[in-house]
Amino acid sequence: MDIKRIDKYIFSIKGKNVDAIVFTDQETINDPEFKEALQQIVNVTHMPGIVAALAMPDIHWGYGFPIGGVGVFDAKDGVISPGGIGFDINCGVRLMLTSLTFEEIKPQLRRLVEAIYDAVPVGVGASGAVKVSAKTLRKVCIEGAHWAVENGYGFKEDLERIEDTGKLSPANPDHVSSKAFERGLDELSTLGAGNHFIEIQKVERIFDPKVAEAFGIFEGQVAISVHCGSRGFGHQIATDYIQIMRDKLAHHNKDLPDKQLINAPFEHPIGQQYFSAMNCAANYAFANRQMIGHAVRMALLKIFPTAQVWLLYDVAHNIAKVEVYNNRKLIVHRKGATRSLGPKNPLLPSLYSDVGQPVLIPGSMGSASYVLVGTKKAEEMSYGSTAHGAGRTLGRRAALRSLSYEQVLNELKQKGIEVMSKGKKTLVEEAPETYKDVDRVVEIVDQVGLSRKVARLVPLGVVKG
DNA sequence: ATGTTC
């Protein structure tokens, strides 16, 4: 690989149609562990209509495209690729703020974790939180979080605090297979497994008092974050369209450096159908986080009836969207990357217009999480993108080999974190030592200016699959 | 991430 250092935390790697740009430190660039992930972002530069191939400091190996990657294509000559989005379409995170302080909830912490665990089905194959018909699921596909609010899962004021108000279009459920519908029916309002979690957190440190105030964040405040996606519904849609593209677009895809980069021209009917189906899954995920967030809010209010609980923001970090930069219509794939819009961006709701978009970066289980704010610089340098999380360094299998359930549980207990987890395996796979240090990731995006630190939150309690 | 190996 032909790598050039452009700035302290910016590297360029010689690509085919464009050069790949990687925002990270020298250590990661040199680390053999990240070599495959760097090769993956270089592979993306071979794709038709590529405008930019970027990687964030939380880059790691993924299906075709690296996680922590941004693939930008011309909407006219370019492509849309399921691997650039990920199997968990619209995996994302929402952060709810409360009027409570750590001191107030401390005596009830265990009870609160238990109440949340009881309110939200978790784990592999979790189901049965709500019963919806196929007809209703079609509405969820089209209306997303708006459907949830209209049906009693939350309040109207939640919607402007969700990226794209929790409703993307075009989203035609006719483009979704019946198999995806079957899987999606009884998984609404369930958390799932893997790195998904619900976490009770405490605001430990404020970096930017002015923006923190605009966001309603104060030191010692209790916050709750929900990290999940579109469950089996999105997974099936990704699987279906990868198969369709293999069957129907073999000739178009014959020259790819990696078969997993399979794609469809964005303007081709298959590209348009995948885009529409992907938006259905994205809307399902927005509804899912809205419903889970509301269930968590209700569980908290049962224990603390006079508390206030409100949504700060909800972001998607596995998605492709049509966005315009320099009067050019582009298809921006963010796979393990968060949108980062600066002040006055017209896509922002008025309540955040003066300061910029809240950017939510969850850490791994047992480590810190961050609230940052979007920047104009990100709009100029990274097509409005920043990092999404800590970034895995140790594979799931390796984690299971080297750690035990008791070990991980003890480690969390020693930090004073209350944990409830359905599966022992999940807890080990998600152990803190399997992830890169989130503080380092956040430091780099802050230094480069892709988003600015506002607050650091630490975990108090965690519910996992 | 995932009815955790289509």
Side-chain angles (χ1 to χ4, degrees), chain A residues 34-108:
Chain A
F34 293 101
K35 206 177 165 189
E36 275 186 290
L38 293 175
Q39 184 58 52
Q40 285 191 313
I41 200 64
V42 173
N43 291 345
V44 173
T45 70
H46 291 245
M47 296 172 72
I50 185 77
V51 172
L54 315 173
M56 298 298 152
D58 48 347
I59 182 175
H60 56 284
W61 186 90
Y63 181 90
F65 293 58
I67 296 157
V70 179
V72 183
F73 298 85
D74 191 285
K76 214 172 155 60
D77 317 318
V79 299
I80 186 166
S81 175
I85 290 146
F87 280 80
D88 190 6
I89 295 165
N90 190 6
C91 182
V93 57
R94 71 164 43 198
L95 188 73
M96 292 179 291
L97 297 170
T98 77
S99 56
L100 299 163
T101 64
F102 172 54
E103 294 305 322
E104 286 173 88
I105 70 146
K106 206 174 167 184
Q108 306 272 19

Side-chain angles (χ1 to χ4, degrees), chain A residues 5-70:
Chain A
R5 193 171 191 168
I6 297 178
D7 207 314
K8 190 175 179 192
Y9 295 125
I10 309 176
F11 297 82
S12 114
I13 311 179
K14 184 93 192 110
K16 190 171 175 239
N17 301 321
V18 294
D19 289 343
I21 303 289
V22 184
F23 301 97
T24 193
D25 51 16
Q26 185 74 56
E27 210 183 321
T28 302
I29 288 285
N30 293 342
D31 190 340
E33 196 176 348
F34 293 101
K35 206 177 165 189
E36 275 186 290
L38 293 175
Q39 184 58 52
Q40 285 191 313
I41 200 64
V42 173
N43 291 345
V44 173
T45 70
H46 291 245
M47 296 172 72
I50 185 77
V51 172
L54 315 173
M56 298 298 152
D58 48 347
I59 182 175
H60 56 284
W61 186 90
Y63 181 90
F65 293 58
I67 296 157
V70 179

